[in-house]
Amino acid sequence: MRPLLLQGHERAITQIKYNREGDLILTAAKDNKPNIFFSANGERLGNLIGHNGAVWCIDVNWDSTRIITGGGDGQLKLWDLETGACISTIDNTTSARTCAFSYSGRYVMYSTDNTMGKDCEIRIIDFNDPQQVAGHGLMKTSVCTSTQKGKVTAALWWNLDDGILTGHEDGSLCIWDLRNDLDKIQRVKAHRGIINDMQYNKDSTMVITASKDNSAIVFDSDTLEELKKFPTERPVNSAAISPIFNHVLLGGGQEAREVTVTSAKQGKFDARFYHLIFEEEFGRVKDHFGPINSVAFHPDGKSYASGGEDGFVRVHHFDQTYFELTFEGEDFTPLEGGNY
Amino acid sequence: MMKSSWADRVEFEQGDLPEPSERIDGSLKIITDYREKDGKKFKVISTYKMEKKEVAKSVAHRKSLKKFGDSKNDSAGPNPATTIVAEEIFMQFVSIRGGVEEQQETEEDLQLQAKTQLSKVVACRICKEDHWTTHCPYKNQMPSNTPLDESSRAAAAAANAASKTSDSKVERYVSPGLRDGFGGRRGESMPLTRQNRDEATVRVTNLSEDVKDSDLTELFKPFGRITRIFLAKDKITNVPKGFAFVSYERISEAQNAINHVHGYGYDNLILSVEMANKSNN
């Protein structure tokens, strides 16, 4: 395969997402301008100018009309995808670490860091209320105080619009009930280290967590029951489940601050493919020269994008050999990918 | 002549370069661009393949959107400043079941074939097995002109196979005093401390990279009192190299450890444990 190299950023990539149809790739990085690329040819639609610091999170709504970003400058920004204009800004004292549109697009959740004496908080914006879009009267709940080590580091909506699934700095997973004032329904101690990323599979029945404790775990998203575990020998920064195969993609590598003191071979910066059921590694793609911070599968499962500490986003279209892979004991025909 | 300002010069030089041109040839779009770098002029020809795809209305609509932000002035199609086609890379397949691994197997088959062919040509004069006479494990014990009987030949074959699997190193020179014939008297007059320790040392190979000293202690403690553990590590990276030496107080303890741990699966690897003293000589 010949990857497309997208050079829209000057600093390390923090998050990559495809929109629902997969024609766009949204990338956020530690520089202040998130980018939007066309996934087919790598053409840049544009970038979003307005943040004053690192952008930690990015999400797009169901019909790809709005983008939400949260940054280290404490700003949560709502953008119009078609023009790149900023529609609304909500200021926070601390960084906005995670953000996500709900399934219907009616709500946005975001979480803030527990620095500067502030609590880590989860907040919900209801788009039916113009006051809330401007940042007033949000539903919110405190997760932990500034002295505790348990801030939200990854978040997803849970069960469509019903709740929020959060991954924490201390390695735990929590579910918060939106209909009951963000009451905590469940808490599971999943990992021994910070949870860097969480992603659902295609039908949201499973969620995969990527943790600094060198492993990724697949959970049942309803019960948070551990289904499969993928141990590696380096921190996992991001993990994704293929929409068409029983494949899991892990991206990671040694910590960025250790990169300069060891040789490149030690870094293990390759994207690794595991079989979801057998929990066995079957393939690697070696091309980043820094740890991979975020990975995402195209919704049709035929390509994937990875973004690294090196600031590059690479879009890989799989070779035919990947589709012809068969596994002993697996009687399986690929699911029909979205035909967009 | 007056020196032109820096800005003027840039403008002048740019004006000197031919205009970029664009040509459409069937499904190919060929863009010819001219650039100047380090005083040299370059002609850059980029060829793009144009494809027509049927997509959903919403996707088609987004494709027709005007670019914004820093890409506002980009023309249609990818801008080489932000989009590059990288070098060809391949997915490396790691120990998958079936599929691509066949090719490696055939290579191994070839090697095996070559070996069997070689074995037909080579026959030891001492034990009539498939190795050179100089490599025969019995060459120091047997007078070369007396042929072995059947049973000892089989033993030789087994020993030969064992030595082949354990390592394929070229046999080293062994001084006469240390050869097996003199084995009983070796080092009699020497102080026994160091000698003893070496004798009661086992070499553990095929260890995993993740193994720690403490793991080894735990593994080898049950067989006797350990006097020393040496885990070989890479000087730069400090990653274990996959072998270690474990010393006991008595040879019997070392032997006991070999009996129990040799061939034992540890961390998905089959450990190989053997006496270390031979290599130390």
Side-chain angles (χ1 to χ4, degrees), chain A residues 1-20:
Chain A
M1 47 191 164
R2 284 185 82 101
L4 285 169
L5 194 61
L6 310 182
Q7 286 181 308
H9 293 289
E10 288 155 9
R11 292 206 52 209
I13 307 296
T14 51
Q15 194 167 32
I16 302 181
K17 266 187 190 156
Y18 280 94
N19 66 340
R20 182 178 55 91

Side-chain angles (χ1 to χ4, degrees), chain A residues 273 275 278 280-284 325-327, chain B residues 92-101 104:
Chain A
F273 289 81
H275 195 277
F278 302 137
E280 246 175 55
E281 184 183 2
F282 67 85
R284 291 179 183 189
L325 269 182
T326 49
F327 295 86
Chain B
Q92 300 171 325
F93 291 101
V94 196
S95 78
I96 47 161
R97 314 182 184 185
V100 187
E101 213 176 33
Q104 289 181 342

Side-chain angles (χ1 to χ4, degrees), chain A residues 3-11 13 16-18 23-27 29 35-45 288 304-308 310-317, chain B residues 78-86:
Chain A
L4 285 169
L5 194 61
L6 310 182
Q7 286 181 308
H9 293 289
E10 288 155 9
R11 292 206 52 209
I13 307 296
I16 302 181
K17 266 187 190 156
Y18 280 94
D23 62 321
L24 299 178
I25 301 173
L26 301 102
T27 62
N35 280 300
I36 303 155
F37 292 95
F38 288 106
S39 66
N41 59 358
E43 190 178 346
R44 183 161 79 172
L45 175 62
H288 279 283
Y304 80 93
S306 57
D310 52 15
F312 294 119
V313 176
R314 287 168 172 270
V315 184
H316 309 75
H317 293 264
Chain B
N79 178 355
T82 53
T83 312
I84 297 170
V85 179

Side-chain angles (χ1 to χ4, degrees), chain A residues 191-208:
Chain A
H191 286 279
R192 278 178 287 115
I194 173 172
I195 293 177
N196 286 317
D197 186 32
M198 294 195 299
Q199 291 188 30
Y200 282 121
N201 68 339
K202 191 182 168 70
D203 57 8
S204 303
T205 50
M206 291 183 283
V207 63
I208 188 162

